[in-house]
Amino acid sequence: MDVLHSDIRELWLVQSRDCHQEPVGLSDDRARFILSVHAGHGARCRQYLAASAHCFRRAAEK
């Protein structure tokens, strides 16, 4: 398992702190990170919904 560098982790935390803002430019790694950070926030969390949709779309492509 790869470990995320602390600088990247902090940047992603700052960029994804607002649950009402949809994330832009998701990569697979960033989407999984957002899912882990916002997992318990519920259906109103746009960060979680966008990351979940990204992962679902990528899984369907495979």
Side-chain angles (χ1 to χ4, degrees):
M1 180 174 146
D2 294 333
V3 177
L4 192 59
H5 193 274
S6 63
D7 291 342
I8 300 294
R9 183 181 190 282
E10 290 299 317
L11 176 64
W12 287 357
L13 277 172
V14 168
Q15 290 175 338
S16 67
R17 71 176 173 246
D18 185 3
C19 289
H20 296 106
Q21 182 179 18
E22 195 166 322
V24 179
L26 287 176
S27 65
D28 293 344
D29 289 336
R30 186 167 175 222
R32 286 191 297 268
F33 174 81
I34 290 172
L35 286 176
S36 69
V37 171
H38 291 267
H41 292 184
R44 293 185 183 178
C45 178
R46 295 187 73 167
Q47 294 281 332
Y48 183 82
L49 292 175
S52 179
H54 175 85
C55 290
F56 181 78
R57 186 172 39 250
R58 296 291 286 169
E61 291 173 357
K62 292 181 180 180

Coordinates of all heavy atoms in Angstrom, one line a residue:
M1 N 0.8 -1.2 0.0 CA 0.0 0.0 0.0 C 0.9 1.2 0.0 O 1.8 1.4 0.8 CB -0.9 0.0 1.2 CG -1.8 1.2 1.3 SD -2.9 1.0 2.7 CE -3.1 2.6 3.2
D2 N 0.6 2.2 -0.8 CA 1.3 3.4 -0.9 C 0.9 4.4 0.2 O -0.3 4.4 0.6 CB 1.1 4.1 -2.2 CG 1.6 3.3 -3.4 OD1 2.6 2.6 -3.2 OD2 1.1 3.5 -4.5
V3 N 1.8 5.1 0.7 CA 1.5 6.1 1.8 C 1.5 7.4 1.2 O 2.5 7.8 0.5 CB 2.6 6.0 2.9 CG1 2.3 7.0 4.0 CG2 2.5 4.6 3.5
L4 N 0.5 8.2 1.4 CA 0.4 9.6 0.9 C 1.4 10.5 1.6 O 1.4 10.5 2.8 CB -1.0 10.0 1.1 CG -1.5 11.3 0.3 CD1 -1.3 11.1 -1.2 CD2 -2.9 11.5 0.7
H5 N 2.1 11.3 0.9 CA 3.1 12.2 1.4 C 2.3 13.3 2.2 O 1.2 13.7 1.9 CB 3.8 12.9 0.3 CG 5.0 13.7 0.8 ND1 4.9 15.0 1.2 CD2 6.3 13.3 0.9 CE1 6.1 15.4 1.6 NE2 7.0 14.4 1.4
S6 N 2.8 13.7 3.3 CA 2.1 14.6 4.3 C 1.7 15.9 3.6 O 0.7 16.5 3.9 CB 2.9 14.8 5.5 OG 4.1 15.5 5.2
D7 N 2.6 16.4 2.7 CA 2.2 17.7 2.0 C 1.0 17.5 1.1 O 0.1 18.4 1.1 CB 3.4 18.2 1.2 CG 4.6 18.7 2.0 OD1 4.4 18.9 3.2 OD2 5.7 18.8 1.5
I8 N 0.9 16.4 0.4 CA -0.2 16.1 -0.4 C -1.5 15.9 0.4 O -2.6 16.5 0.1 CB 0.0 14.9 -1.3 CG1 1.2 15.1 -2.2 CG2 -1.2 14.5 -2.1 CD1 1.0 16.2 -3.3
R9 N -1.3 15.2 1.5 CA -2.5 14.9 2.4 C -3.0 16.2 2.9 O -4.2 16.5 2.9 CB -2.0 14.0 3.5 CG -3.1 13.7 4.5 CD -2.6 12.8 5.6 NE -3.7 12.3 6.4 CZ -4.4 13.0 7.3 NH1 -4.1 14.2 7.5 NH2 -5.4 12.4 7.9
E10 N -2.2 17.1 3.4 CA -2.6 18.4 3.9 C -3.3 19.3 2.8 O -4.3 19.9 3.1 CB -1.5 19.2 4.5 CG -1.0 18.6 5.8 CD -2.0 18.5 6.9 OE1 -2.8 19.5 7.1 OE2 -2.1 17.5 7.6
L11 N -2.7 19.3 1.6 CA -3.3 20.0 0.5 C -4.7 19.5 0.2 O -5.7 20.3 0.1 CB -2.4 19.9 -0.7 CG -3.0 20.6 -2.0 CD1 -3.1 22.1 -1.8 CD2 -2.1 20.3 -3.2
W12 N -4.9 18.2 0.1 CA -6.1 17.6 -0.2 C -7.2 17.8 0.9 O -8.4 18.0 0.7 CB -6.0 16.1 -0.5 CG -5.4 15.8 -1.8 CD1 -5.0 16.7 -2.8 CD2 -5.0 14.5 -2.3 NE1 -4.4 16.0 -3.8 CE2 -4.5 14.7 -3.6 CE3 -5.1 13.2 -1.8 CZ2 -4.0 13.6 -4.4 CZ3 -4.7 12.2 -2.6 CH2 -4.2 12.4 -3.9
L13 N -6.7 17.8 2.2 CA -7.6 18.1 3.3 C -8.2 19.5 3.2 O -9.3 19.8 3.4 CB -6.9 17.9 4.6 CG -6.8 16.5 5.1 CD1 -5.9 16.5 6.4 CD2 -8.2 16.0 5.5
V14 N -7.3 20.5 2.9 CA -7.7 21.9 2.8 C -8.6 22.0 1.6 O -9.7 22.7 1.7 CB -6.5 22.8 2.6 CG1 -6.9 24.2 2.2 CG2 -5.7 22.8 3.9
Q15 N -8.3 21.4 0.5 CA -9.1 21.6 -0.8 C -10.5 20.9 -0.6 O -11.4 21.3 -1.3 CB -8.4 21.0 -2.0 CG -7.2 21.8 -2.4 CD -6.4 21.1 -3.5 OE1 -6.5 19.9 -3.7 NE2 -5.7 21.9 -4.2
S16 N -10.6 19.9 0.2 CA -11.9 19.2 0.3 C -12.6 19.4 1.6 O -13.5 18.6 2.0 CB -11.6 17.7 0.1 OG -10.9 17.2 1.2
R17 N -12.3 20.5 2.3 CA -12.9 20.7 3.7 C -14.4 21.1 3.6 O -15.1 20.9 4.6 CB -12.1 21.7 4.5 CG -12.2 23.1 4.0 CD -11.4 24.1 4.8 NE -11.4 25.4 4.2 CZ -10.4 26.0 3.7 NH1 -9.2 25.4 3.8 NH2 -10.5 27.1 3.1
D18 N -14.8 21.7 2.5 CA -16.2 22.2 2.4 C -17.1 21.2 1.8 O -17.0 20.9 0.6 CB -16.2 23.5 1.6 CG -17.6 24.2 1.6 OD1 -18.5 23.7 2.2 OD2 -17.7 25.2 0.9
C19 N -18.0 20.7 2.6 CA -18.9 19.6 2.1 C -19.9 20.1 1.1 O -20.5 19.3 0.4 CB -19.7 19.0 3.3 SG -18.6 18.0 4.4
H20 N -20.1 21.4 1.0 CA -21.0 22.0 0.0 C -20.4 22.3 -1.3 O -21.1 22.7 -2.2 CB -21.7 23.2 0.6 CG -22.5 22.9 1.8 ND1 -22.1 23.3 3.1 CD2 -23.7 22.3 2.0 CE1 -23.0 22.9 4.0 NE2 -24.0 22.3 3.3
Q21 N -19.1 22.1 -1.4 CA -18.4 22.4 -2.7 C -18.0 21.1 -3.3 O -17.4 20.2 -2.7 CB -17.2 23.3 -2.4 CG -16.4 23.7 -3.6 CD -15.2 24.5 -3.3 OE1 -14.8 24.6 -2.1 NE2 -14.7 25.2 -4.3
E22 N -18.3 21.0 -4.6 CA -18.0 19.8 -5.3 C -16.5 19.8 -5.7 O -16.0 20.8 -6.2 CB -18.8 19.7 -6.6 CG -18.8 18.3 -7.2 CD -19.9 18.1 -8.2 OE1 -21.0 18.6 -8.0 OE2 -19.6 17.5 -9.3
P23 N -15.8 18.7 -5.5 CA -14.3 18.7 -5.9 C -14.1 18.7 -7.4 O -15.0 18.2 -8.2 CB -13.8 17.4 -5.3 CG -15.0 16.5 -5.2 CD -16.2 17.4 -5.0
V24 N -13.0 19.3 -7.8 CA -12.7 19.5 -9.3 C -11.5 18.7 -9.6 O -10.5 18.7 -8.8 CB -12.5 20.9 -9.6 CG1 -12.2 21.1 -11.1 CG2 -13.8 21.7 -9.2
G25 N -11.4 18.0 -10.7 CA -10.2 17.4 -11.2 C -9.8 16.2 -10.3 O -8.7 16.1 -9.9
L26 N -10.8 15.3 -10.1 CA -10.5 14.1 -9.3 C -9.6 13.1 -10.0 O -9.9 12.7 -11.1 CB -11.8 13.4 -8.8 CG -12.6 14.2 -7.8 CD1 -13.9 13.4 -7.6 CD2 -11.9 14.3 -6.5
S27 N -8.6 12.6 -9.3 CA -7.9 11.4 -9.7 C -8.4 10.2 -8.9 O -9.2 10.4 -7.9 CB -6.4 11.6 -9.4 OG -6.2 11.7 -8.0
D28 N -8.1 9.0 -9.2 CA -8.5 7.9 -8.5 C -8.1 7.9 -7.0 O -8.8 7.7 -6.1 CB -8.0 6.6 -9.1 CG -8.6 6.3 -10.5 OD1 -9.7 7.0 -10.8 OD2 -8.1 5.5 -11.2
D29 N -6.8 8.3 -6.8 CA -6.3 8.4 -5.4 C -7.0 9.5 -4.6 O -7.3 9.3 -3.5 CB -4.8 8.7 -5.5 CG -4.0 7.5 -5.9 OD1 -4.5 6.3 -5.8 OD2 -2.8 7.7 -6.4
R30 N -7.2 10.6 -5.2 CA -7.8 11.7 -4.5 C -9.3 11.4 -4.2 O -9.8 11.7 -3.1 CB -7.7 13.0 -5.3 CG -8.3 14.2 -4.5 CD -7.9 15.5 -5.2 NE -8.6 16.6 -4.4 CZ -9.1 17.6 -5.0 NH1 -9.1 17.8 -6.3 NH2 -9.7 18.5 -4.2
A31 N -10.0 10.7 -5.1 CA -11.4 10.3 -4.9 C -11.4 9.4 -3.7 O -12.3 9.5 -2.8 CB -11.9 9.7 -6.1
R32 N -10.5 8.4 -3.6 CA -10.5 7.5 -2.5 C -10.2 8.2 -1.2 O -10.8 7.9 -0.1 CB -9.6 6.3 -2.8 CG -10.1 5.3 -3.8 CD -9.3 4.1 -3.9 NE -7.9 4.3 -4.3 CZ -7.5 4.3 -5.5 NH1 -8.3 4.0 -6.5 NH2 -6.2 4.5 -5.8
F33 N -9.3 9.2 -1.3 CA -9.0 9.9 -0.1 C -10.2 10.7 0.4 O -10.5 10.7 1.6 CB -7.8 10.9 -0.4 CG -7.5 11.9 0.7 CD1 -6.7 11.5 1.8 CD2 -8.0 13.2 0.7 CE1 -6.4 12.3 2.8 CE2 -7.7 14.0 1.7 CZ -6.9 13.6 2.8
I34 N -10.9 11.3 -0.5 CA -12.1 12.1 -0.1 C -13.2 11.2 0.5 O -13.8 11.5 1.4 CB -12.6 12.9 -1.3 CG1 -11.7 14.1 -1.6 CG2 -14.0 13.5 -1.0 CD1 -12.0 14.8 -2.9
L35 N -13.3 10.0 -0.1 CA -14.3 9.0 0.4 C -14.0 8.7 1.9 O -14.9 8.6 2.7 CB -14.3 7.8 -0.4 CG -15.0 7.9 -1.8 CD1 -14.8 6.6 -2.5 CD2 -16.5 8.2 -1.6
S36 N -12.7 8.5 2.2 CA -12.3 8.1 3.5 C -12.5 9.3 4.5 O -12.9 9.1 5.6 CB -10.9 7.6 3.6 OG -10.0 8.7 3.3
V37 N -12.3 10.5 4.1 CA -12.4 11.7 4.9 C -13.9 12.0 5.2 O -14.3 12.4 6.3 CB -11.7 12.9 4.3 CG1 -12.0 14.2 5.1 CG2 -10.2 12.6 4.3
H38 N -14.7 11.9 4.2 CA -16.1 12.3 4.2 C -17.1 11.2 4.4 O -18.3 11.4 4.2 CB -16.5 13.2 3.0 CG -15.8 14.5 2.9 ND1 -16.3 15.6 3.4 CD2 -14.5 14.8 2.4 CE1 -15.5 16.6 3.2 NE2 -14.4 16.2 2.6
A39 N -16.7 10.0 4.7 CA -17.5 8.8 4.7 C -18.8 8.9 5.6 O -19.8 8.5 5.2 CB -16.7 7.6 5.2
G40 N -18.7 9.6 6.7 CA -19.9 9.6 7.6 C -20.7 10.9 7.5 O -21.6 11.1 8.3
H41 N -20.5 11.6 6.4 CA -21.2 12.9 6.4 C -22.6 12.9 5.8 O -23.3 13.9 5.9 CB -20.3 13.9 5.5 CG -19.1 14.3 6.2 ND1 -18.2 15.2 5.7 CD2 -18.5 13.9 7.4 CE1 -17.2 15.4 6.5 NE2 -17.4 14.5 7.6
G42 N -23.0 11.8 5.2 CA -24.4 11.7 4.7 C -24.5 12.2 3.3 O -23.6 12.6 2.6
A43 N -25.8 12.1 2.8 CA -26.2 12.4 1.4 C -26.0 13.8 1.0 O -26.0 14.1 -0.2 CB -27.6 11.9 1.2
R44 N -25.9 14.7 1.9 CA -25.8 16.2 1.6 C -24.3 16.6 1.3 O -24.1 17.7 0.9 CB -26.4 17.0 2.6 CG -27.8 16.9 2.7 CD -28.4 17.8 3.7 NE -29.9 17.6 3.9 CZ -30.6 18.3 4.7 NH1 -30.1 19.2 5.5 NH2 -31.9 18.0 4.7
C45 N -23.4 15.7 1.5 CA -22.0 16.0 1.4 C -21.6 15.9 -0.1 O -21.5 14.7 -0.6 CB -21.1 15.1 2.2 SG -19.3 15.4 2.0
R46 N -21.4 17.0 -0.8 CA -21.1 16.9 -2.2 C -19.7 16.4 -2.5 O -19.5 15.8 -3.6 CB -21.2 18.3 -2.8 CG -22.7 18.8 -2.7 CD -22.9 20.1 -3.4 NE -22.8 19.8 -4.9 CZ -23.2 20.7 -5.8 NH1 -23.6 21.8 -5.4 NH2 -23.1 20.4 -7.0
Q47 N -18.8 16.5 -1.5 CA -17.5 15.9 -1.7 C -17.6 14.4 -1.8 O -17.0 13.8 -2.7 CB -16.6 16.3 -0.5 CG -16.2 17.8 -0.4 CD -15.2 18.2 -1.3 OE1 -14.3 17.4 -1.7 NE2 -15.2 19.5 -1.7
Y48 N -18.3 13.8 -0.9 CA -18.5 12.4 -0.8 C -19.2 11.9 -2.1 O -18.8 10.9 -2.7 CB -19.2 11.9 0.4 CG -19.4 10.4 0.5 CD1 -18.3 9.7 1.0 CD2 -20.5 9.8 0.1 CE1 -18.4 8.3 1.1 CE2 -20.6 8.4 0.2 CZ -19.6 7.7 0.7 OH -19.7 6.3 0.7
L49 N -20.3 12.6 -2.5 CA -21.1 12.1 -3.6 C -20.3 12.2 -4.9 O -20.3 11.3 -5.7 CB -22.3 13.0 -3.7 CG -23.4 12.8 -2.7 CD1 -24.5 13.8 -2.8 CD2 -23.9 11.4 -2.6
A50 N -19.5 13.2 -5.1 CA -18.7 13.3 -6.3 C -17.6 12.3 -6.3 O -17.3 11.7 -7.4 CB -18.1 14.7 -6.4
A51 N -16.9 12.1 -5.2 CA -15.9 11.1 -5.1 C -16.4 9.7 -5.3 O -15.8 8.8 -6.0 CB -15.1 11.2 -3.8
S52 N -17.6 9.4 -4.8 CA -18.3 8.1 -5.0 C -18.6 7.9 -6.4 O -18.4 6.8 -7.0 CB -19.5 8.1 -4.1 OG -20.2 6.9 -4.2
A53 N -19.2 8.9 -7.1 CA -19.5 8.8 -8.5 C -18.3 8.6 -9.3 O -18.3 7.8 -10.3 CB -20.3 10.1 -8.9
H54 N -17.2 9.3 -9.0 CA -16.0 9.1 -9.8 C -15.5 7.6 -9.7 O -15.2 7.0 -10.7 CB -14.9 10.0 -9.2 CG -13.5 9.8 -9.9 ND1 -13.2 10.4 -11.0 CD2 -12.5 9.0 -9.5 CE1 -12.0 10.0 -11.4 NE2 -11.5 9.2 -10.4
C55 N -15.5 7.1 -8.4 CA -15.0 5.7 -8.2 C -16.0 4.7 -8.9 O -15.5 3.7 -9.5 CB -14.9 5.4 -6.7 SG -13.5 6.2 -6.0
F56 N -17.3 4.9 -8.8 CA -18.2 4.1 -9.5 C -18.1 4.0 -11.0 O -18.1 3.0 -11.6 CB -19.7 4.5 -9.1 CG -20.7 3.6 -9.7 CD1 -21.0 2.4 -9.2 CD2 -21.4 4.0 -10.8 CE1 -22.0 1.6 -9.7 CE2 -22.4 3.2 -11.4 CZ -22.7 2.0 -10.8
R57 N -17.9 5.2 -11.6 CA -17.7 5.4 -13.0 C -16.4 4.6 -13.4 O -16.4 3.9 -14.4 CB -17.6 6.8 -13.4 CG -17.6 7.1 -14.8 CD -17.7 8.6 -15.2 NE -17.0 9.5 -14.3 CZ -17.6 10.3 -13.4 NH1 -19.0 10.3 -13.3 NH2 -16.9 11.1 -12.6
R58 N -15.3 4.8 -12.7 CA -14.1 4.1 -13.0 C -14.2 2.6 -12.9 O -13.6 1.9 -13.7 CB -12.9 4.6 -12.1 CG -12.6 6.1 -12.3 CD -12.0 6.4 -13.6 NE -10.6 5.9 -13.5 CZ -9.8 5.8 -14.6 NH1 -10.3 6.1 -15.7 NH2 -8.6 5.3 -14.4
A59 N -14.9 2.1 -11.9 CA -15.1 0.7 -11.7 C -16.0 0.1 -12.9 O -15.7 -1.0 -13.3 CB -15.8 0.4 -10.4
A60 N -16.9 0.9 -13.4 CA -17.8 0.4 -14.5 C -17.0 0.4 -15.8 O -17.3 -0.4 -16.7 CB -19.0 1.4 -14.6
E61 N -15.9 1.2 -15.9 CA -15.1 1.2 -17.1 C -14.2 0.0 -17.2 O -13.8 -0.4 -18.3 CB -14.2 2.5 -17.1 CG -15.0 3.7 -17.4 CD -14.1 5.0 -17.2 OE1 -12.9 4.8 -16.9 OE2 -14.6 6.1 -17.5
K62 N -14.0 -0.6 -16.1 CA -13.1 -1.8 -16.0 C -13.7 -3.0 -16.4 O -14.5 -3.6 -16.7 CB -12.4 -1.9 -14.7 CG -11.4 -0.8 -14.4 CD -10.8 -1.0 -13.1 CE -9.8 0.2 -12.8 NZ -9.2 0.1 -11.6

